Amino acid sequence: MKPDRTLAEALGAGVLVLDGGLSNQLEAQGCDLSDALWSARLLADGPEQIEAAHAAYVRAGARVLITSSYQATFQGFARRGVGREEAARLLGRSVELARTAAAGVGEEVWVAGSVGPYGAMLADGSEYRGRYGLSVRELEAFHRPRIEVLAAAEPDVLALETVPDMVEAEALLRAVEGCGVPVWLSYTVEGGRTRAGQDLTEAFAVAAGNDRVVAVGVNCCDPAEAGAAVELAVAVTGKPAVVYPNSGELWDARARGWRGDIAFDPARATGWAASGARLIGGCCRVGPATISALGPSLVADEGER
């Protein structure tokens, strides 16, 4: 069942807690994700596991669930011998599973259809580099078909997420034109710039003045980068910010594993909210226990303001 309010209306009323990393929760449930399709493989092979992972985040207090379609593309499914019609059905299933997990909680829960970057389909860490050598037109042509399928499944919003490159951001915003669903735009950043090395002010400006975009921000970055990015996103666009960093560990694409220390501290969320973030959660390696700690601190912060 869809919420009574639009996501934009809800953001005008206060902060919403996003979920955390889907892949780490699936691994905690015993799922093997050592596949180029990553969690998207389970749309066909283990949909009940995806629903259970979403439900774990709902129990932890998440009120926005991001679907398992990040790495789900027609091209990626085709490499596994999955035809176009079946791939479209699986993309639609990602929205259905999140919606089912949200049912019965007694509160509004919004579903965000994940649209990952072109590099996610390559499964080689390219989403952390960008600059694929493709034009805006070519990237738009890649993204539009699955955006149309996801939009037809009626999520509450499309999450254009982990975008490393403002060229791809431009392509994504073109691809969602006419889809009938609002979107948020979220870059992955490093050193105060996009992962492709572009000026972040210019990158956020791509979404300024676009009425379809309900929030702008960052995800899958070091938590220490998030605060400044939130402030800049709000200043440049005048829109609410979305922020969901990873644990602070770094992904080693060659070794296909994480390294480094955990740096995600739920206490940072009050500062992000004070700077204009209205969608706050976690990305890779941030699990339900951490998400459950976000809610109380944000509620307390709302009471103080």
Side-chain angles (χ1 to χ4, degrees):
M1 182 176 178
K2 298 191 73 169
D4 293 331
R5 296 178 295 170
T6 67
L7 184 65
E9 290 169 340
L11 296 183
V15 177
L16 293 177
V17 176
L18 293 168
D19 57 11
L22 187 63
S23 61
N24 47 265
Q25 178 57 25
L26 289 168
E27 288 174 337
Q29 293 170 194
C31 299
D32 179 7
L33 302 183
S34 58
D35 185 282
L37 282 175
W38 204 27
S39 56
R41 177 183 64 80
L42 296 175
L43 287 169
D45 299 345
E48 71 286 350
Q49 293 284 2
I50 293 175
E51 184 179 329
H54 286 316
Y57 282 114
V58 173
R59 291 192 300 271
R63 292 300 173 259
V64 180
L65 299 176
I66 302 174
T67 66
S68 54
S69 51
Y70 173 83
Q71 207 144 338
T73 63
F74 288 109
Q75 294 85 346
F77 279 128
R79 288 198 295 264
R80 290 287 302 272
V82 178
R84 196 169 187 83
E85 183 175 343
E86 176 64 6
R89 189 183 72 81
L90 293 175
L91 280 162
R93 175 181 277 180
S94 72
V95 176
E96 295 167 8
L97 291 170
R99 193 75 76 189
T100 300
V105 72
E107 296 183 37
E108 290 176 300
V109 178
W110 290 262
V111 172
S114 175
V115 181
Y118 177 82
M121 181 271 294
L122 301 177
D124 63 357
S126 294
E127 67 262 51
Y128 300 114
R129 299 190 297 272
R131 298 192 182 277
Y132 315 116
L134 300 179
S135 67
V136 170
R137 185 184 298 274
E138 288 170 320
L139 288 167
E140 178 187 354
F142 167 78
H143 285 295
R144 185 179 291 277
R146 67 173 173 151
I147 282 172
E148 290 175 345
V149 170
L150 281 170
E154 299 185 343
D156 301 295
V157 63
L158 291 174
L160 313 180
E161 59 175 351
T162 324
V163 181
D165 191 321
M166 59 186 292
V167 172
E168 185 160 29
E170 292 175 11
L172 283 162
L173 291 176
R174 288 191 189 185
V176 299
E177 290 179 4
C179 75
V181 180
V183 306
W184 80 56
L185 174 64
S186 180
Y187 288 97
T188 179
V189 299
E190 185 175 39
R193 304 179 74 83
T194 70
R195 291 293 186 122
Q198 297 142 337
D199 181 80
L200 204 51
T201 297
E202 294 180 13
F204 287 140
V206 169
N210 189 322
D211 292 338
R212 185 164 300 284
V213 181
V214 297
V216 181
V218 293
N219 77 289
C220 209
C221 62
D222 190 308
E225 297 254 7
V230 165
E231 292 181 7
L232 187 61
V234 173
V236 171
T237 68
K239 298 178 183 292
V242 54
V243 55
Y244 48 120
N246 58 34
S247 67
E249 298 162 279
L250 298 175
W251 174 251
D252 187 329
R254 179 172 297 179
R256 296 195 64 80
W258 293 91
R259 56 183 174 82
D261 298 323
I262 294 174
F264 191 104
D265 182 357
R268 294 179 188 259
T270 58
W272 301 338
S275 296
R278 292 296 175 265
L279 288 163
I280 299 177
C283 201
C284 300
R285 309 281 283 180
V286 176
T290 303
I291 295 303
S292 69
L294 282 177
S297 63
L298 291 172
V299 169
D301 184 59
E302 283 287 314
E304 293 169 2
R305 285 190 279 133

